Every structure is written in structure tokens, then in C-alpha cells.
């Protein structure tokens, strides 16, 4: 049965997984006494399995070869069509909500953006559990998409890796065996990555449970953090320094793809700190934290407040660099009114995390390649006759990879400016349009509330503007060049 299910088109398989996720609000709703919510999702599950069964029967004898980009089309359907389907039961429960609002909220969950569409107290515990679990599942699927779709096609940042020259890349034959259907590769990667993702989440939840003594908060916060899903969990206990330290350790996993390369070991642990993405991420965090510390130093009175400010800036910088968007509870409220601090947070969100992680943004690997290439070119200008070890300088001198990174920067900026322009045409101010575009394209939704002080900014927009924000989140998660590859298959040849 499972062998036949693995051979189904990826779109059908993903739809089946999403139907299974709705069992969580069904069970929780009935157990917690929220019968109406549980019954609504139960009807959605039954209807979903009814549709899935007929689609499976219609396609089980289909022996046609799938298109080389069928999986990318499946990903686009996953982030655009499936949120519309799952917004129907959500809209049924939220009687006074509009379908465009629930759709925008679902896209925010699917892309793990965490853009606030509804107030914190708008959702019941059943809906909160379902949204966090769905975001956690989608974060895991981003791992699977990266290794099963982007990596074989050299997209999503993998085009910058050279297996013959970069020791932090992997060979195509390490995890993948030749299969007739691309969907089988997806399921092989899902089975391989599931234990890693689950045990990281479990370790984070247990650590938070020891600190907060609140199982509900600990599980939900751990699931949201590993997915870099900066959703707020209202009415729960604060985490304190111990809890924030645990969350910081989990967010560091979004610095690099090294976690998913193999089993945990001492060698694997030491290898993480040799990864250029991790080293660059630490440098960016330290520099940003020092700058913010000096901008906010006047707000610290004594030594204790200075230490708290140091920790708050470090934690918040890691959070924004991994596009999680959580703000330390020890960060002074006055920090939100300092323009320089807000600009640093925006820059961190634009930088983003590592390739093949749940983080969004431009990616640290592209920044590292461009920085290394610029350094190499400056050295050549200063010392044109110097002898360079090509083995050590191969990545920096690879013009093709630098050009690819530069192309991504230019396309990212052009799409960014285009979305801002379209939002202003719908009536938004340039400032609000810029912040919302940055929050959605980098998949760092909480940055909009952090900068604007307006928790209902996205709700006040027109339906056309909300549609643009949904498109922006999907482009930020899929990356623009992956979408362009559909129209130009030889874009990286």
C-alpha cells in the first residue's frame, strides 16, 4: 500500500499529508471540550479522504513519465492552492472572518512566515494547536523539499555548491538512488530527515518544560522555533533567560544545512563550526549585537541591566537572522523606537539563514560567496602579481557562482521593488508597503509588528494588497530563481 502511495504524483501525496494534519485539531478539540471546532475539522478530514480516494483510484494505473519540473509545480500548488483548501474549515469556524483573511493566514502558516493577520486572542486553543502543528509540519517539509527537489536540480542555493571543491557539499549519490518517479525521492528523504527533525523538537520541548513547567507552551514553542515560525502564543508563561538560551540553541540549526547531512556524532558536531555559513552567521550576529548594544547603552542603568541588555541583543539578533522574529523579553521597549536598531533588525532578516533550512531571506551562503569574491578581487587589485593557492581560493574565484549569487540579488531587489510599487497602488503608504514586503519576502512576519507598532497592519489592507502579500510570501519561500527555472529550464547550465 505504501509502495503504491510513494509512486503517486507529489501533489496527491502532499494533499494526503495535509489531511492527516487535521486529525490533530479533531483529537484536541474533542478532548478539550471544543466540540464545534473538532467536528468541523472532522468533516474536513472525511471530505479530504473522500476526494483523495477517488483521485488515487483515477491515477493508480497512470504509467506516464512525469515532467522534470513536476515537483516544482507541486511545491507551487502546496504554497498557493492548499492554503486555500485549508482556509475553508478555518473560515467556517471564524464566523466573522473573510476568506481572504483566512487564506492569508494559511499562507503565512505554510511558509512559516508568522505574519499576524488576526489578534492574539482571536484563536481558540484548538486553532492555535493546529496552526502551530501545521507550521511545524511545513517547516519539516521545507527540509524535505530542499533535499529531494532543490538539491538534484541545483536550485535554492545548491547551485552555489561544488561537490568536487567544497567539502561542505554532498554528492548526489550519498542519499539518492536512481528512481523512475521523483516522488519516491521525496518519500526517501522524508523518512531520512523525520527522526532528526523530531528529536531536535523533542529536546527543545523537554528543555522548555524543565524551565516553564508548562507542557502546552513548551511543546508549541519548541515546534514553532525549529520551524522558524515566529507565532505568538498568548497567555503563556515567559521563558526567562534559561528558556531563551534553549531557543537560541535550536535557532542556530537554521544557520546551516549540516544538520541534515548525516547522524549526530562528535565529528559531525565539530564539522558544524567549520561551515562557512555558521561562521559568517556568528560574525554577523556578534557585530549586530555590539552595534545595538551601543545604541541602547543609555537605557541600561546598572551592571545587571547591562548584562540583560547584552543577552537580549544577542538573542534577538539570532532570532531575526534565522527569520524567526522572536524578541527577547529583556529587550527594553524603547528599542522599538530607535531607528538604527530597527534598521539592523531589517538587515538581519534580509540576510536570512542557511541553505536547505527552514530560514528564509537571501541566505548566508550567497553573502559568503559574494564577500569572498570581493575580497579576492580586492587582493588581486592590491597585489596583481601574487601567487594564489587555487585550492584554497577556488570558491571565491569561481566567477560563475559569484554571478549566480549576484543575479539572485538583482532579481530579489527587482521583485521587492515591484511588490512595493503594487502595494502603493492599492493605497498603502510607501513605509508600510516596504515593511510588509520585507516581512513577507524574507518570511519574517513578526518584523512588521516590531517596526510599525501596529499589530493589525495586514488586516487593514485591501483584498488586492493581501493577495500581493500572499504572493510575496510564496516567492520568498520558493525563491524567485526556482520559479524562473520553470520558464527557463536551462537557467543554470
Amino acid at each position: 500500500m505504501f509502495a503504491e502511495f510513494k509512486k503517486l504524483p507529489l501533489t496527491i501525496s502532499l494533499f494526503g499529508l495535509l489531511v492527516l494534519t487535521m486529525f490533530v485539531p479533531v483529537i484536541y478539540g474533542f478532548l478539550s471540550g471544543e466540540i464545534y471546532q473538532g467536528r468541523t475539522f472532522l468533516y474536513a478530514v472525511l471530505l479530504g479522504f473522500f476526494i483523495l480516494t477517488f483521485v488515487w483510484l483515477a491515477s493508480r494505473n497512470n504509467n506516464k513519465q512525469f515532467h522534470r519540473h513536476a515537483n516544482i509545480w507541486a511545491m507551487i500548488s502546496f504554497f498557493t492552492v492548499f492554503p486555500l483548501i485549508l482556509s475553508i474549515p478555518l473560515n467556517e469556524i471564524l464566523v466573522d472572518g473573510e476568506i481572504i483573511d483566512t487564506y492569508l493566514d494559511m499562507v503565512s502558516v505554510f511558509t512559516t512566515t508568522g505574519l499576524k493577520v488576526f489578534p492574539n486572542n482571536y484563536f481558540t486553543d484548538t486553532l492555535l494547536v493546529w496552526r502551530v502543528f501545521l507550521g511545524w509540519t511545513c517547516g519539516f517539509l521545507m527540509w524535505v523539499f530542499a533535499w529531494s527537489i532543490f538539491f538534484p536540480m541545483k536550485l535554492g542555493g545548491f547551485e552555489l555548491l561544488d561537490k568536487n571543491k567544497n567539502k561542505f557539499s554532498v554528492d548526489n549519490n550519498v542519499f539518492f538512488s536512481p528512481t523512475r518517479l521523483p516522488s519516491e525521492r521525496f518519500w526517501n528523504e522524508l523518512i531520512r530527515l523525520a527522526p532528526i527533525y523530531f528529536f531536535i523538537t523533542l529536546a527543545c520541548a523537554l528543555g522548555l518544560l524543565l524551565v516553564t513547567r508548562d507542557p502546552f507552551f513548551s511543546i508549541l514553542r519548541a515546534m514553532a522555533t525549529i520551524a522558524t515560525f515566529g507565532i505568538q502564543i498568548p497567555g503563556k508563561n515567559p521563558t526567562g533567560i534559561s528558556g531563551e538560551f534553549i531557543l537560541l540553541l535550536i535557532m542556530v540549526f537554521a544557520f546551516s544545512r549540516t544538520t541534515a547531512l548525516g547522524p549526530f556524532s562528535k565529528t559531525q558536531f565539530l564539522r558544524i563550526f567549520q561551515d562557512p555559513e555558521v561562521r559568517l552567521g556568528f560574525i554577523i550576529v556578534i557585530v549586530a549585537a555590539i552595534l545595538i548594544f551601543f545604541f541602547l547603552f543609555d537605557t541600561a542603568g546598572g551592571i545587571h541591566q547591562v548584562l540583560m541588555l547584552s543577552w537580549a541583543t544577542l538573542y534577538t539578533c539570532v532570532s531575526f537572522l534565522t527569520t524567526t522574529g522572536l524578541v527577547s523579553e529583556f529587550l527594553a521597549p524603547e528599542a522599538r523606537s530607535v531607528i538604527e536598531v530597527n534598521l539592523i533588525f531589517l538587515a538581519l532578516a534580509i540576510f536570512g539563514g542557511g541553505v536547505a533550512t527552514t530560514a528564509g531571506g537571501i541566505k548566508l551562503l550567497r553573502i559568503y560567496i559574494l564577500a569572498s569574491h570581493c575580497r579576492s578581487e580586492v587582493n588581486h587589485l592590491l597585489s596583481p602579481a601574487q601567487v594564489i593557492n587555487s585550492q584554497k581560493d577556488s570558491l571565491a574565484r569561481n566567477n560563475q557562482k559569484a554571478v549566480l549569487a549576484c543575479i539572485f540579488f538583482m532579481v530579489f531587489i527587482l521583485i521587492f521593488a515591484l511588490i512595493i510599487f503594487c502595494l502603493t497602488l492599492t493605497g498603502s503608504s510607501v513605509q508600510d508597503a516596504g515593511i510588509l514586503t520585507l516581512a513577507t519576502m524574507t518570511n519574517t512576519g513578526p518584523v512588521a509588528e516590531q517596526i510599525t507598532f501596529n499589530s493589525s497592519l495586514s488586516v487593514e489592507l485591501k483584498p488586492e494588497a493581501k493577495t500581493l502579500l500572499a504572493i510575496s510570501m510564496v516567492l520568498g519561500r520558493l525563491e524567485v530563481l526556482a520559479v524562473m527555472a520553470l520558464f527557463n529550464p536551462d537557467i543554470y547550465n
Side-chain angles (χ1 to χ4, degrees):
M1 181 67 179
F2 182 68
E4 293 185 5
F5 188 73
K6 289 173 62 176
K7 296 180 180 180
L8 289 175
L10 187 57
T11 304
I12 302 176
S13 302
L14 291 174
F15 181 71
L17 286 177
L18 294 179
V19 171
L20 290 176
T21 61
M22 287 191 286
F23 270 115
V24 173
V26 170
I27 297 173
Y28 188 88
F30 282 113
L31 292 179
S32 63
E34 297 176 349
I35 306 299
Y36 176 70
Q37 287 87 340
R39 186 172 64 247
T40 302
F41 282 105
L42 178 61
Y43 294 156
V45 169
L46 296 177
L47 180 60
F49 277 121
F50 180 80
I51 298 174
L52 189 63
T53 302
F54 278 93
V55 173
W56 172 67
L57 292 174
S59 61
R60 61 181 303 184
N61 294 324
N62 185 8
N63 295 322
K64 294 181 179 180
Q65 294 290 335
F66 293 99
H67 191 270
R68 59 180 294 192
H69 289 150
N71 283 354
I72 295 185
W73 284 112
M75 289 180 60
I76 294 177
S77 301
F78 178 80
F79 289 112
T80 57
V81 179
F82 291 168
L84 179 61
I85 297 175
L86 294 191
S87 66
I88 296 177
L90 179 62
N91 188 69
E92 181 68 21
I93 296 175
L94 303 176
V95 181
D96 55 344
E98 297 182 2
I99 188 66
I100 185 62
D101 293 329
T102 55
Y103 175 70
L104 181 62
D105 184 73
M106 282 292 97
V107 174
S108 173
V109 174
F110 270 70
T111 57
T112 67
T113 301
L115 182 68
K116 182 177 290 186
V117 181
F118 299 99
N120 289 334
N121 56 356
Y122 200 76
F123 297 105
T124 62
D125 285 347
T126 300
L127 295 179
L128 180 63
V129 168
W130 178 55
R131 292 171 72 246
V132 172
F133 181 80
L134 184 60
W136 178 74
T137 304
C138 293
F140 168 66
L141 289 179
M142 282 307 305
W143 275 24
V144 182
F145 288 152
W147 290 102
S148 63
I149 299 177
F150 284 158
F151 178 55
M153 300 182 67
K154 300 303 179 185
L155 296 172
F158 286 107
E159 73 277 4
L160 304 174
L161 299 177
D162 190 343
K163 66 182 181 182
N164 297 323
K165 297 180 181 180
N166 186 4
K167 64 180 180 179
F168 294 99
S169 62
V170 290
D171 194 347
N172 284 336
N173 299 322
V174 173
F175 303 124
F176 308 137
S177 59
T179 57
R180 184 177 66 88
L181 298 177
S183 58
E184 294 185 44
R185 180 176 293 169
F186 170 84
W187 286 104
N188 293 337
E189 285 301 292
L190 186 144
I191 295 173
R192 182 182 71 87
L193 295 173
I196 301 175
Y197 194 79
F198 175 77
F199 282 115
I200 293 176
T201 308
L202 180 62
C204 181
L206 292 177
L208 292 177
L209 181 61
L210 295 176
V211 174
T212 64
R213 307 294 181 180
D214 189 343
F216 185 84
F217 171 82
S218 300
I219 295 174
L220 295 187
R221 176 50 67 200
M223 296 172 71
T225 303
I226 187 60
T228 63
F229 184 31
I231 185 176
Q232 295 295 326
I233 302 177
K236 304 304 173 185
N237 296 327
T239 55
I241 293 183
S242 301
E244 289 185 352
F245 179 74
I246 296 173
L247 295 179
L248 184 143
L249 293 179
I250 299 302
M251 287 187 288
V252 169
F253 283 101
F255 277 3
S256 174
R257 68 202 174 279
T258 313
T259 308
L261 291 181
F264 289 105
S265 62
K266 182 178 180 180
T267 305
Q268 181 77 3
F269 179 77
L270 295 177
R271 184 183 181 187
I272 293 177
F273 295 97
Q274 298 175 359
D275 194 319
E277 287 183 303
V278 176
R279 289 184 295 174
L280 178 61
F282 284 153
I283 293 174
I284 293 176
V285 166
I286 292 174
V287 172
I290 292 175
L291 292 176
I292 295 176
F293 177 82
F294 282 112
F295 284 126
L296 302 178
F297 183 77
D298 294 337
T299 61
I303 298 179
H304 181 265
Q305 292 183 356
V306 170
L307 295 177
M308 291 297 100
L309 177 61
S310 303
W311 167 256
T313 55
L314 179 65
Y315 173 83
T316 308
C317 286
V318 172
S319 177
F320 277 93
L321 184 62
T322 57
T323 69
T324 306
L326 297 178
V327 179
S328 174
E329 61 183 84
F330 302 102
L331 188 65
E334 296 82 4
R336 301 176 61 181
S337 59
V338 180
I339 299 178
E340 293 82 2
V341 174
N342 291 333
L343 291 177
I344 294 175
F345 287 151
L346 293 176
L348 292 174
I350 293 176
F351 290 160
V355 172
T357 64
T358 55
I362 292 176
K363 306 297 187 194
L364 291 171
L365 183 60
R366 292 188 177 95
I367 299 174
Y368 172 78
I369 288 177
L370 286 179
S372 300
H373 185 75
C374 292
R375 182 184 62 183
S376 177
E377 291 299 324
V378 171
N379 290 335
H380 295 165
L381 291 174
L382 296 177
S383 303
Q386 65 177 327
V387 179
I388 300 176
N389 188 337
S390 60
Q391 191 174 19
K392 292 182 179 180
D393 202 41
S394 59
L395 184 61
R397 296 186 62 186
N398 194 322
N399 292 329
Q400 181 183 4
K401 290 180 173 57
V403 168
L404 288 175
C406 187
I407 289 175
F408 180 86
F409 271 96
M410 291 188 294
V411 174
F412 184 89
I413 293 173
L414 289 176
I415 299 297
F416 185 86
L418 179 62
I419 294 177
I420 292 178
F421 176 73
C422 294
L423 285 176
T424 55
L425 294 180
T426 62
S428 301
S429 64
V430 177
Q431 179 180 357
D432 292 343
I435 294 175
L436 287 174
T437 303
L438 188 145
T440 51
M441 282 203 69
T442 61
N443 302 117
T444 317
V447 75
E449 183 182 1
Q450 168 71 19
I451 304 300
T452 63
F453 297 90
N454 188 356
S455 59
S456 60
L457 180 61
S458 58
V459 183
E460 300 171 353
L461 299 175
K462 295 180 180 179
E464 297 83 1
K466 295 177 182 179
T467 305
L468 286 172
L469 293 182
I471 295 174
S472 177
M473 285 187 280
V474 174
L475 289 177
R477 178 52 71 187
L478 288 179
E479 294 197 355
V480 181
L481 292 184
V483 179
M484 291 175 59
L486 294 174
F487 307 100
N488 184 11
D490 300 324
I491 188 173
Y492 290 121
N493 292 343

